[in-house]
Amino acid sequence: MARVNAALAASAIPPGSTVRLRRGRRHPGVIRPGAVGALRFASWGDEPEPPVVTSYKYVQSAACWTRAGDDLWSVDISAANVGRTHHGYVSPWTTEVGFLKVDSTFHGDRKTDLAALERDWQFRSRGSLVTVRCATNPSAGGRRVWLAVADPIVEVRSRLVIQDLAVIGTGRNAVQTTSASRTEGAVVRDCVIGEAGGALASDGVSRMGNGVQVWSGASGVLVSGNTIVDCWDSAMTIQGPGVSKGVSWSDVEFTGNTVERTMQTFEYWSTGGAESPGSSTCSVRGNRAYDAGSSWSAAVRPDKAGKGSHLLFYVDGVRPTLTVRGNVFSGAAHAYLYAHDGVPAGLNSNENTIALADSVRLQWQRAERLPEYRAWSAATGLEHRSTFMSLP
């Protein structure tokens, strides 16, 4: 991936090109099309596994860890130590780690002070040092320790196509459109996306991590046929401030995706003035989402209450048209829907299958549970033609 991005920066890969990554291989790095934009990234080969593009670093052995105190172990993941303590992706701007993956288990209980590391696999990421509490060396017994560096894996630009890749392993968002320029006509299709999040936001408390994030200023974006898993926050989201000229979102579509082990399925928020009715649009159609709130972040995130929900809404500044139709939303830890500042004005959610335990709220800010779905639907104007099912 470093070779690809260097070639892009040198204009050695012209617009309209296809870059193919070999299946069955791990490709440490990120996809940064820059100003070129109009590219296609896909796979080649006959291996059953898709090519993996990842921001993970891998700690090479038990010898790479240094004792930092009683049951404390540190590893230096600076660029100078590639091949000495670790291998994998070297970000040009960050060594922050959002979570650890030990074999197949995620550990996201991150602390800011060493004194707060009280249980195994709690960790601190500061500078290039990652310090982990563990009764034995973290890599002892052949344990495989991966560190998720907080660099988004795919930066989507105009006319970029990402297809048949596994985009996994980052402390931030796995796939995101850029806020640097408008994104027009992009496709993310038939990929595995996730294992994302845990990096600190600008407030130093909140933590980030979405599967596919579409920032304001995007149009003609299709996210289709993907499997999105293991995200700190939402599998799919549109968010950001309203743009000063034009519309904030146009023809952004999430369709036919499968979502598992995330906190939320779809999130929306926007700030700024409202646009003319129907000018900004987004649709969520034909997706299948399971067990909202089952992310690895569920037990350790600072904002737990109500966040295990399929639909998550905050500020509705732009007031886009949001169509949520023909989806299967099955299982939720807290609620089907969370609406911090009320249900968005342009939300049209209908003809979905909503399967919940009888004890789970339909909307976190309201009292109705599944048995009262008719009363909730009448009060909110949502899901009049949807199918409601009771889970054990």
Side-chain angles (χ1 to χ4, degrees):
M1 296 312 303
R3 288 175 55 204
V4 170
N5 287 317
L8 287 169
S11 301
I13 301 177
S17 297
T18 295
V19 178
R20 295 191 181 274
L21 306 178
R22 187 168 180 175
R23 297 180 64 84
R25 300 289 182 89
R26 184 177 295 270
H27 304 267
V30 296
I31 293 176
R32 294 289 183 269
V36 177
L39 296 169
R40 180 170 175 254
F41 282 79
S43 66
W44 70 273
D46 55 5
E47 294 292 328
E49 296 84 11
V52 176
V53 185
T54 180
S55 293
Y56 275 135
K57 290 181 182 292
Y58 175 62
V59 181
Q60 295 177 169
S61 69
C64 299
W65 296 92
T66 301
R67 276 196 177 274
D70 292 341
D71 295 339
L72 295 178
W73 306 84
S74 290
V75 62
D76 188 332
I77 58 171
S78 60
N81 277 338
V82 173
R84 298 177 180 178
T85 63
H86 66 280
H87 62 74
Y89 174 57
V90 177
S91 170
W93 66 279
T94 183
T95 51
E96 182 187 3
V97 168
F99 66 90
L100 318 178
K101 184 181 178 184
V102 182
D103 294 329
S104 60
T105 302
F106 299 92
H107 298 283
D109 197 356
R110 177 180 176 179
K111 306 298 183 183
T112 55
D113 297 313
L114 289 181
L117 303 181
E118 300 174 342
R119 297 189 299 275
D120 278 2
W121 302 114
Q122 292 178 329
F123 73 98
R124 184 185 75 169
S125 174
R126 178 174 293 178
S128 63
L129 280 182
V130 178
T131 304
V132 181
R133 184 177 181 90
C134 192
T136 59
N137 186 300
S139 297
R143 285 187 295 234
R144 297 168 62 85
V145 181
W146 302 89
L147 311 175
V149 176
D151 202 347
I153 302 173
V154 177
E155 183 181 88
V156 177
R157 293 295 183 105
S158 294
R159 296 175 297 286
L160 179 71
V161 176
I162 303 292
Q163 184 171 2
D164 192 33
L165 307 181
V167 180
I168 59 173
T170 173
R172 293 173 74 92
N173 304 316
V175 178
Q176 64 180 39
T177 66
T178 177
S179 59
S181 62
R182 295 186 68 92
T183 299
E184 300 176 347
V187 176
V188 180
R189 176 186 288 135
D190 300 333
C191 294
V192 178
I193 299 170
E195 299 188 17
L200 293 175
S202 58
D203 61 10
V205 177
S206 304
R207 295 170 69 177
M208 300 177 288
N210 299 311
V212 181
Q213 176 178 294
V214 179
W215 196 252
S216 51
S219 64
V221 176
L222 174 65
V223 180
S224 175
N226 304 287
T227 298
I228 307 175
V229 295
D230 298 314
C231 298
W232 174 279
D233 265 335
S234 298
M236 305 172 287
T237 173
I238 64 168
Q239 56 182 257
V243 300
S244 58
K245 295 181 180 179
V247 298
S248 297
W249 295 277
S250 176
D251 298 324
V252 177
E253 184 175 1
F254 300 95
T255 181
N257 302 287
T258 299
V259 175
E260 298 181 80
R261 302 187 304 276
T262 67
M263 285 304 293
Q264 303 95 29
T265 300
F266 174 71
E267 173 193 16
Y268 155 70
W269 65 262
S270 68
T271 58
E275 297 173 3
S276 58
S279 59
S280 284
T281 57
C282 176
S283 65
V284 181
R285 299 175 185 266
N287 303 283
R288 303 178 69 87
Y290 302 95
D291 300 326
S294 61
S295 167
W296 53 271
S297 72
V300 298
R301 58 188 298 127
D303 54 338
K304 298 182 180 67
K307 298 304 175 66
S309 57
H310 285 290
L311 303 182
L312 178 73
F313 303 115
Y314 287 107
V315 174
D316 184 23
V318 172
R319 298 191 176 185
T321 299
L322 301 172
T323 300
V324 180
R325 183 164 295 170
N327 304 281
V328 173
F329 298 115
S330 179
H334 299 142
Y336 166 58
L337 182 151
Y338 179 102
H340 186 271
D341 289 341
V343 174
L347 177 63
N348 178 6
S349 191
N350 222 328
E351 299 175 11
N352 300 296
T353 297
I354 301 165
L356 302 171
D358 288 351
S359 60
V360 173
R361 299 184 196 183
L362 290 163
Q363 183 175 333
W364 180 251
Q365 291 78 11
R366 296 179 62 92
E368 297 95 342
R369 267 71 172 176
L370 189 77
E372 294 84 44
Y373 74 86
R374 289 187 178 86
W376 174 77
S377 183
T380 61
L382 301 173
E383 314 294 352
H384 284 301
R385 296 186 300 278
S386 292
T387 299
F388 291 82
M389 301 174 60
S390 177
L391 292 176

